[in-house]
């Protein structure tokens, strides 16, 4: 039992062997990331449609929970731009009748996201995220970045138009109200963007967002800019978050489930890819997909108990955490401690914080998400993936965040099914003067016996692709100028065979032999041979029609000798032990 606790609580793996030499890096990184999380958390709460204080709540307990359970030692967990936008889009679509209802739905959403991620981790479903292909993720995140960025123009310029996650609606709102621009607010927002970006260029660890926050608060307070129209946060509640519980009403769960599933997958995909990148730099620990799901799931469940909202690993803060010297999750514990101190003692100082500065924090954060080089590279190297990128990108821009990512996920699955149903196949010919056989489409001047068709299948043979394989073989048969007398089915690259595949091969044997065409099976692997034996397909084909390699089969065919004389070629010529693994 003790071993199980140590296995699941990763803090018990690194804390007992903690090195004092790591302390300075962990403390400094924890303080820097904690400082970064204050404006980031507040800005992302605003993006999610919540009061900014909930962003600080979301970076207390969830950080501590992830530090206990997470397998990454540098990943900094908290609210993220994309997940916050998904929260805002998803909850808004339910049309809550009041802010309290909105908050209630958000708390329930965090719980549901955590439950989905935790369950996926327990049942070892971390591989599911692989169905979100990189072109889909990049297309979605690039479009989301556009929506997030342009959506913040209203706070940057102090315009008044409804929130939306459709780019056309946002543009319409901007252009119809641009004449209402508040120039003083715009000046503060643009100055904030310059400070944040310039600080990052000097050194990623410099908290540019905090500098912008402090300067803007001082400027607004002492120059009385709020009286001149600059919109500020106003009263920010102080103290630790109160305890909250999600609703367990099934109709609300059903309404929230699609957006919860989307956030669960997107949030995990984002966190895991960042964690893998960081782990590759250190190599002194292993990041585990299922442990990450459990850790993120518990972090999100904990967020629902303290009036928080869904959290995930963040690229910018994780990079800052790593570059500032973090070696263990102690840095996250210190960050959470700093946020708690802020909640208890310093929230009153945010009264004069301009909304334009929070907009600047968000705009700078998402500006690095847009991928311009990716689609250009895909256009030249992989058109299918380029089209997937563009469909997801345009779908997210025009149909909204939720429908966009769902479209991308469906496209990913369709592409997996399409590729699985069309395995690579090749006709083989002999390289002159050798015993090697190669693809006749890729090599010139190969020796081809007109009576013989050698087919190599690269992939499993199963229900989804047997018709394609059959059509391809028939196409190659028709292309021959003389009738085929023999087909070699090279199965060296066949990884598995299901019942539909077996029955299809049985039908081939019957059909081809009725047309005076014989069949040899070549190079089948142990698991595939086991299936052939179980289904008695070996008896149908004949043990003397199964060979280890194409050269041996070809030699047998060309010399037209029987199975007994073939055995004289050597003990490995005839593959007779079909049950060998």
């Amino acid at each position: 039992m003790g071993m199980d606790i140590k296995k699941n609580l990763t803090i018990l793996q690194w804390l007992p062997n903690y090195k004092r030499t790591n302390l300075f890096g962990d403390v400094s990184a924890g303080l820097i990331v904690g400082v970064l999380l204050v404006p980031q958390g507040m800005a992302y709460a605003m993006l999610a449609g919540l009061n900014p204080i909930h962003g600080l709540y979301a970076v207390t307990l969830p950080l501590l929970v992830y530090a206990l359970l997470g397998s990454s030692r540098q990943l900094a967990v908290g609210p993220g731009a994309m997940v916050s936008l998904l929260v805002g889009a998803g909850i808004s679509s339910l049309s809550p009748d009041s802010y309290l209802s909105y908050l209630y739905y958000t708390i329930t959403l965090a719980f549901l996201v955590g439950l989905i991620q935790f369950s996926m981790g327990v049942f070892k479903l971390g591989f599911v995220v692989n169905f979100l292909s990189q072109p889909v993720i990049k297309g979605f995140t690039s479009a989301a970045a556009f929506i997030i960025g342009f959506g913040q123009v209203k706070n940057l310029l102090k315009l008044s138009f409804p929130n939306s996650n459709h780019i056309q609606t946002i543009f319409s709102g901007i252009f119809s109200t641009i004449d209402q621009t508040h120039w003083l607010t715009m000046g503060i927002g643009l100055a904030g963007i310059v400070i944040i970006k310039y600080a990052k260029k000097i050194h990623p660890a410099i908290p540019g967002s905090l500098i912008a926050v402090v300067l803007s608060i001082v400027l607004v307070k002492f120059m009385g800019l709020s009286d001149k129209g600059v919109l500020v946060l106003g009263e920010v509640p102080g103290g630790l978050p109160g305890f909250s519980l999600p609703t367990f009403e099934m109709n609300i769960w059903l309404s929230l489930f699609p957006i919860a599933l989307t956030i669960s997958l997107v949030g995990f995909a984002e966190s895991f890819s960042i964690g893998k990148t960081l782990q590759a730099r250190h190599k002194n620990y292993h990041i585990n997909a299922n442990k990450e799901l459990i850790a993120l799931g518990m972090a999100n469940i904990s967020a629902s108990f303290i009036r928080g909202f869904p959290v995930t690993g963040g690229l910018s803060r994780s990079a800052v955490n790593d570059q500032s010297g973090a070696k263990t999750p102690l840095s996250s514990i210190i960050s959470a401690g700093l946020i708690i101190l802020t909640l208890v003692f310093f929230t009153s100082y945010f009264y004069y914080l301009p909304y334009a500065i929070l907009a600047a924090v968000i705009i700078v954060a998402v500006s690095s998400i847009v991928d311009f080089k990716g689609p250009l590279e895909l256009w030249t190297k992989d058109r299918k993936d380029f089209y997937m990128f563009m469909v997801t990108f345009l779908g997210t821009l025009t149909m909204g965040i939720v429908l966009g990512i769902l479209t991308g996920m469906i496209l990913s699955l369709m592409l997996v099914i399409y590729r699985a149903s069309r395995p690579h196949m090749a006709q083989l010919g002999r390289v002159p003067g050798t015993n090697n056989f190669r693809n006749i489409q890729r090599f010139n001047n190969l020796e081809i016996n007109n009576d013989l068709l050698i087919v190599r299948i690269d992939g499993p043979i199963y229900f989804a692709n047997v018709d394609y394989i059959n059509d391809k073989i028939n196409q190659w048969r028709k292309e021959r100028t003389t009738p085929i007398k023999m087909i070699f089915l090279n199965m060296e690259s066949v990884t598995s065979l299901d019942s539909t595949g077996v029955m299809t091969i049985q039908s081939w044997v019957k059909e081809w032999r009725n047309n005076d065409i014989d069949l040899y099976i070549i190079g089948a692997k142990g698991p595939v041979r086991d299936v052939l034996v179980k289904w008695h397909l070996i008896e149908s084909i004949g043990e003397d029609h199964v060979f280890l390699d194409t050269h041996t089969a070809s030699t047998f065919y060309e010399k037209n000798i029987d199975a007994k004389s073939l055995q004289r070629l050597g003990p490995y010529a005839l593959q007779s032990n079909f049950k060998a693994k």
Side-chain angles (χ1 to χ4, degrees):
M1 184 71 179
M3 286 296 289
D4 289 338
I5 293 173
K6 186 174 180 180
K7 184 178 178 182
N8 294 320
L9 285 174
T10 53
I11 190 172
L12 297 180
Q13 296 171 19
W14 59 265
L15 189 58
N17 304 312
Y18 191 82
K19 297 176 182 177
R20 286 187 178 182
T21 52
N22 293 337
L23 188 60
F24 178 78
D26 282 339
V27 171
S28 60
L31 292 174
I32 290 169
V33 172
V35 162
L36 177 69
L37 281 170
V38 172
Q40 256 196 10
M42 296 176 81
Y44 292 153
M46 189 175 73
L47 187 60
L50 297 166
N51 289 334
I53 192 65
H54 294 279
L56 297 186
Y57 295 161
V59 285
T60 52
L61 189 57
L63 267 71
L64 297 174
V65 170
Y66 183 84
L68 292 174
L69 302 172
S71 61
S72 174
R73 297 189 182 177
Q74 284 80 31
L75 188 70
V77 169
M82 190 163 43
V83 167
S84 299
L85 187 67
L86 283 167
V87 171
I91 302 297
S92 297
S93 67
L94 300 179
S95 304
D97 55 13
S98 67
Y99 179 76
L100 278 178
S101 297
Y102 191 101
L103 178 60
Y104 200 38
Y105 286 158
T106 306
I107 290 167
T108 304
L109 179 63
F111 182 82
L112 199 50
V113 167
L115 193 62
I116 292 170
Q117 290 178 331
F118 180 81
S119 301
M120 288 176 67
V122 168
F123 292 105
K124 301 190 184 303
L125 298 177
F127 68 90
V128 170
V129 77
N130 295 330
F131 289 105
L132 275 175
S133 69
Q134 283 301 310
V136 165
I137 292 174
K138 288 180 178 178
F140 167 71
T141 53
S142 294
F146 270 108
I147 292 170
I148 293 167
F150 283 106
Q152 288 305 305
V153 169
K154 65 180 293 184
N155 290 314
L156 196 71
L157 307 182
K158 199 188 172 185
L159 304 179
S160 179
F161 57 85
N163 290 325
S164 175
N165 62 87
H166 298 78
I167 198 70
Q168 62 270 35
T169 307
I170 293 171
F171 279 161
S172 174
I174 292 172
F175 291 130
S176 62
T177 60
I178 194 72
D179 59 330
Q180 301 170 15
T181 298
H182 189 261
W183 298 101
L184 187 55
T185 298
M186 185 181 79
I188 291 171
L190 293 179
I193 291 173
V194 171
I195 290 170
I196 297 166
K197 287 193 73 69
Y198 186 69
K200 289 181 76 172
K201 287 186 178 180
I202 294 174
H203 194 283
I206 295 176
S209 53
L210 187 74
I211 293 170
V213 164
V214 172
L215 287 177
S216 65
I217 289 173
V218 171
L219 191 69
V220 171
K221 181 176 182 179
F222 290 103
M223 295 187 69
L225 299 185
S226 59
D227 296 330
K228 297 178 181 178
V230 174
L231 197 62
V232 297
L233 290 186
E235 196 68 43
V236 178
L240 296 175
F243 183 74
S244 58
L245 273 175
T247 180
F248 293 94
E249 293 178 31
M250 192 51 63
N251 62 324
I252 294 178
W253 276 41
L254 290 173
S255 301
L256 291 173
F257 184 78
I259 187 66
L261 181 62
T262 303
I263 291 173
S264 300
L265 293 175
V266 172
F268 172 62
E270 183 181 10
S271 294
F272 190 64
S273 60
I274 295 166
K276 288 287 284 184
T277 304
L278 294 171
Q279 184 246 318
R281 294 186 56 185
H282 294 274
K283 299 181 180 176
N284 61 334
Y285 65 90
H286 176 68
I287 184 169
N288 180 285
N290 295 312
K291 282 186 178 179
E292 286 299 288
L293 276 166
I294 289 173
L296 286 170
M298 290 303 296
N300 277 302
I301 288 171
S302 72
S304 71
F305 294 146
I306 55 167
R307 302 182 192 174
F309 58 102
V311 296
T312 185
L315 178 59
S316 59
R317 57 178 172 266
S318 296
V320 169
N321 194 38
D322 184 38
Q323 290 161 2
S324 301
K327 300 296 181 187
T328 73
L330 179 62
S331 61
S332 290
I333 296 172
I334 291 168
S335 295
L338 186 63
I339 301 298
I340 290 169
L341 288 174
T342 302
L343 283 168
V344 174
F345 297 110
F346 304 121
T347 52
S348 60
Y349 292 98
F350 293 109
Y351 184 97
Y352 290 101
L353 176 61
Y355 274 98
I357 289 296
L358 293 179
V361 172
I362 293 171
I363 290 169
V364 173
V366 301
S367 63
S368 60
I369 295 176
V370 181
D371 187 0
F372 292 105
K373 293 182 181 178
L376 295 175
E377 188 174 21
L378 288 175
W379 174 258
T380 58
K381 296 179 180 177
D382 192 329
R383 290 288 173 90
K384 289 190 183 75
D385 279 354
F386 170 79
Y387 296 135
M388 284 186 65
F389 176 97
M390 291 307 300
V391 168
T392 308
F393 178 78
L394 295 173
T396 303
L397 278 182
T398 56
M399 296 189 298
I401 299 290
V402 179
L403 285 177
I405 189 62
L406 289 176
T407 300
M409 289 166 67
I410 292 167
L411 272 176
S412 289
L413 287 171
M414 288 177 63
L415 188 63
V416 168
I417 295 167
Y418 175 79
R419 286 174 173 168
S421 68
R422 300 172 67 86
H424 179 262
M425 295 176 63
Q427 284 189 72
L428 304 184
R430 188 196 297 270
V431 178
T434 72
N435 298 329
N436 299 318
F437 291 77
R438 295 291 183 267
N439 186 348
I440 64 173
Q441 296 295 323
R442 294 181 175 271
F443 292 82
N444 297 322
N445 304 317
L446 297 180
E447 295 176 356
I448 301 172
N449 186 329
N450 289 327
D451 295 339
L452 173 64
L453 176 63
I454 307 174
V455 176
R456 190 187 72 215
I457 302 167
D458 298 331
I461 301 177
Y462 70 121
F463 68 93
N465 64 18
V466 288
D467 287 341
Y468 174 80
I469 293 171
N470 186 57
D471 292 344
K472 198 74 173 175
I473 292 173
N474 287 334
Q475 176 192 331
W476 286 338
R477 282 174 57 192
K478 290 176 183 176
E479 288 172 355
R480 292 294 180 93
T481 54
T482 57
I484 298 294
K485 295 181 180 178
M486 176 69 72
I487 293 177
F488 286 4
L489 207 57
N490 186 308
M491 300 176 74
E492 293 172 352
S493 301
V494 174
T495 53
S496 62
L497 184 66
D498 75 350
S499 58
T500 306
V502 170
M503 287 185 277
T504 301
I505 294 175
Q506 286 175 332
S507 69
W508 289 345
V509 173
K510 185 176 180 180
E511 178 198 341
W512 293 342
R513 285 184 176 169
N514 285 339
N515 289 286
D516 297 322
I517 300 172
D518 210 351
L519 170 69
Y520 286 177
I521 298 289
I522 296 167
K525 291 179 169 64
V528 174
R529 294 200 304 273
D530 291 342
V531 175
L532 296 175
V533 170
K534 282 180 185 176
W535 285 84
H536 306 290
L537 192 55
I538 295 301
E539 296 171 14
S540 301
I541 298 172
E543 291 192 6
D544 58 344
H545 281 56
V546 183
F547 297 86
L548 281 176
D549 58 71
T550 307
H551 168 64
T552 305
S554 183
T555 301
F556 172 69
Y557 176 72
E558 290 169 359
K559 292 187 176 180
N560 196 25
I561 57 176
D562 59 21
K564 289 184 179 179
S565 55
L566 177 66
Q567 291 178 28
R568 293 195 293 272
L569 292 173
Y572 301 106
L574 182 65
Q575 184 176 300
S576 57
N577 184 13
F578 300 109
K579 293 183 180 180
K581 301 293 185 214

